[in-house]
Amino acid sequence: MFCQLWALCVRRFKHVCRKPFIPAMQLVMPFCFTLFIVVMVELRRFQEHPPLRLSLSPFGRSTVVCGVAYSSNTTEASALARVYRRQFDSDAHKVVYLNDLPGYTTIDNVHDYLMEEGKRDRHEYSYRTFVAAE
């Protein structure tokens, strides 16, 4: 067993002495390819990418829930909620504004509403509600 190992090492050493560029390439090439891939990934990070358009249109008719919780800057939050509702205001989306619903106060939040809707109609909740904000 030892003789076979010794013969293998001697043969490999003679091969390296005759053609020294082959072992060098076997060591250098993986490093070069790895370095090339890392550089390409880093350069790609700085390229200009078009902005992604977030839209609910692929999901068909959906429900969008929003509400303004009680806070010190309620006017700013209400203005933000108006802008949020306006972006989904179309025939394809049903916008539910919790502050306009009877029975909901400023203490209630979107999470409670979503939990109640899920208990009431699981199918409608699972297949129609994708976006909510508070």
Side-chain angles (χ1 to χ4, degrees):
M1 183 73 171
F2 180 72
C3 292
Q4 288 178 341
L5 181 63
W6 180 254
L8 181 69
C9 290
V10 169
R11 193 181 97 204
R12 183 77 176 148
F13 178 74
K14 287 182 179 180
H15 185 68
V16 167
C17 289
R18 274 185 253 143
K19 299 179 181 177
F21 64 93
I22 291 176
M25 287 295 118
Q26 289 174 344
L27 294 173
V28 171
M29 290 305 286
F31 174 75
C32 291
F33 282 124
T34 305
L35 183 66
F36 176 73
I37 290 171
V38 168
V39 167
M40 293 304 292
V41 167
E42 289 297 319
L43 287 177
R44 192 171 188 189
R45 183 184 304 175
F46 297 109
Q47 290 177 349
E48 288 292 324
H49 296 287
L52 294 176
R53 179 154 167 64
L54 300 178
S55 173
L56 292 176
S57 58
F59 303 109
R61 178 123 178 93
S62 60
T63 302
V64 177
V65 181
C66 68
V68 176
Y70 178 74
S71 64
S72 59
N73 56 358
T74 307
T75 56
E76 294 170 358
S78 296
L80 183 61
R82 272 194 307 275
V83 171
Y84 182 79
R85 284 186 294 173
R86 210 174 309 135
Q87 77 178 350
F88 295 113
D89 193 20
S90 71
D91 293 336
H93 310 299
K94 174 184 161 189
V95 179
V96 177
Y97 184 54
L98 293 183
N99 296 63
D100 290 344
L101 291 179
Y104 276 87
T105 64
T106 55
I107 299 170
D108 294 322
N109 60 16
V110 173
H111 183 263
D112 294 337
Y113 175 80
L114 291 174
M115 291 298 289
E116 287 178 21
E117 286 296 308
K119 290 176 186 174
R120 187 178 60 79
D121 187 3
R122 182 183 294 177
H123 182 282
E124 191 71 23
Y125 175 76
S126 298
Y127 289 102
R128 299 286 183 220
T129 306
F130 297 106
V131 179
E134 180 175 3

